[in-house]
Amino acid sequence: MLERQSTVGSAPIGSFVALGDSFTEGLGDEAPDGALLGWADRLADLLARRSPVPFRYANLAVRGRLIDEILEEQVPQVAELTPDLVSFCAGGNDILRLGSSVDRIAERFEEAVVELSSHAKTVLVFTGFDPRGTPVLRRLRGKIATYTAHIHAIADRHGCLVVDLWSMKALQHPRAWSDDRLHLSSEGHRQVALRAAGVLGLRPTRSAPATHALQGRVRQPQRLDDLRWAKEHFLPWLGQHLLGRASDEVLEPKRPQLLPL
């Protein structure tokens, strides 16, 4: 349970626009009817229930998008929507590409933040995850940590609120992740939504269910499981997203208009 009205400072949150890639689209958090939920939908629901004014929500995130694509396709729409709150999480797909420059990605991230800050009352940004428990990706831990430091610095310069995913112990537990270990599970998305709500000032009246259970010792995956994961999930994903083998599927935002829930 969360208490207090959904406000940032003294201003109520009456509209929320989410930008980004698969993390914000909600991959890994499927409803019984197959629709994607995700932390952003869950946060929007929490905000709507506590908003003292009519609440509207849009989710422009599209899986696989690079930061340049998000700046080109999604960021300009915020100027038309002028929301009270905009969330921005981008750069993860870029960091995973061979030869990518963290400093260059951070520069583009800051360009987006400057633009978003001129059209939204509050900008909420997200750091990278700590990949120490994920095979292969843990080799990029230093690169992701550097990007996380950049995001904190950018947020400090421009007055953004920060959801620090790196520090979330709950996300170090296998149950927080889908079988592909690349996208959060429903529980992982729920934990992120609660953390984001806390950053926005909505505090839980008691400990969230399952939080403590997810903070126990993480069992290290066995080598055979790692090899199976790499064959079934990581290598196909690598081929599609990192080596430029584009899917024939035409992807559009799941909630392109700022509408009531």
Side-chain angles (χ1 to χ4, degrees):
M1 297 291 291
L2 293 160
E3 59 184 7
R4 296 177 56 181
Q5 292 181 336
S6 56
T7 60
V8 175
S10 59
I13 301 175
S15 54
F16 168 37
V17 175
L19 311 182
D21 51 30
S22 59
F23 167 67
T24 301
E25 186 183 354
L27 259 65
D29 187 12
E30 289 81 19
D33 63 358
L36 292 178
L37 296 175
W39 69 264
D41 285 18
R42 293 172 180 270
L43 176 61
D45 182 64
L46 291 172
L47 294 172
R49 291 175 185 274
R50 290 155 185 83
S51 179
V53 296
F55 183 84
R56 297 173 298 150
Y57 167 56
N59 189 320
L60 308 182
V62 177
R63 69 195 71 176
R65 288 298 191 260
L66 301 172
I67 194 165
D68 286 344
E69 294 171 326
I70 294 172
L71 264 76
E72 179 182 348
E73 300 168 5
Q74 300 176 29
V75 170
Q77 296 186 54
V78 176
E80 300 176 5
L81 300 175
T82 60
D84 295 326
L85 171 67
V86 61
S87 68
F88 181 59
C89 184
N93 291 321
D94 299 78
I95 287 176
L96 297 178
R97 291 199 166 212
L98 297 175
S100 62
S101 166
V102 174
D103 293 338
R104 189 265 176 188
I105 299 168
E107 289 174 358
R108 293 294 280 157
F109 190 98
E110 186 159 18
E111 289 177 29
V113 165
V114 170
E115 179 68 17
L116 294 173
S117 298
S118 66
H119 301 294
K121 294 179 181 178
T122 300
V123 178
L124 181 71
V125 298
F126 293 73
T127 71
F129 296 101
D130 184 351
R132 62 182 176 180
T134 306
V136 183
L137 295 185
R138 59 175 166 246
R139 295 179 179 273
L140 298 174
R141 194 180 186 213
K143 198 172 183 180
I144 297 171
T146 300
Y147 190 53
T148 288
H150 272 300
I151 291 173
H152 278 293
I154 292 168
D156 184 62
R157 285 195 290 270
H158 299 284
C160 304
L161 297 178
V162 182
V163 179
D164 192 346
L165 301 176
W166 185 279
S167 68
M168 289 184 64
K169 292 183 178 180
L171 299 185
Q172 292 299 321
H173 197 286
R175 281 174 46 198
W177 294 89
S178 299
D179 290 340
D180 66 8
R181 304 187 197 177
L182 299 169
H183 301 99
L184 293 175
S185 65
S186 293
E187 178 59 26
H189 279 285
R190 191 180 73 87
Q191 293 291 336
V192 171
L194 290 174
R195 176 61 66 91
V199 169
L200 291 171
L202 297 179
R203 301 297 178 183
T205 56
R206 61 177 181 273
S207 295
T211 298
H212 297 301
L214 287 179
Q215 291 181 347
R217 183 179 296 276
V218 176
R219 180 179 64 83
Q220 293 298 322
Q222 299 298 313
R223 184 174 179 81
L224 183 60
D225 290 339
D226 290 348
L227 292 173
R228 184 180 299 113
W229 165 79
K231 178 181 179 181
E232 296 179 358
H233 297 288
F234 182 70
L235 291 179
W237 177 84
L238 182 72
Q240 180 175 348
H241 293 285
L242 304 190
L243 302 182
R245 299 175 187 169
S247 170
D248 293 333
E249 184 179 7
V250 177
L251 300 176
E252 299 290 342
K254 67 178 183 181
R255 193 179 175 89
Q257 298 181 3
L258 195 57
L259 297 172
L261 286 176

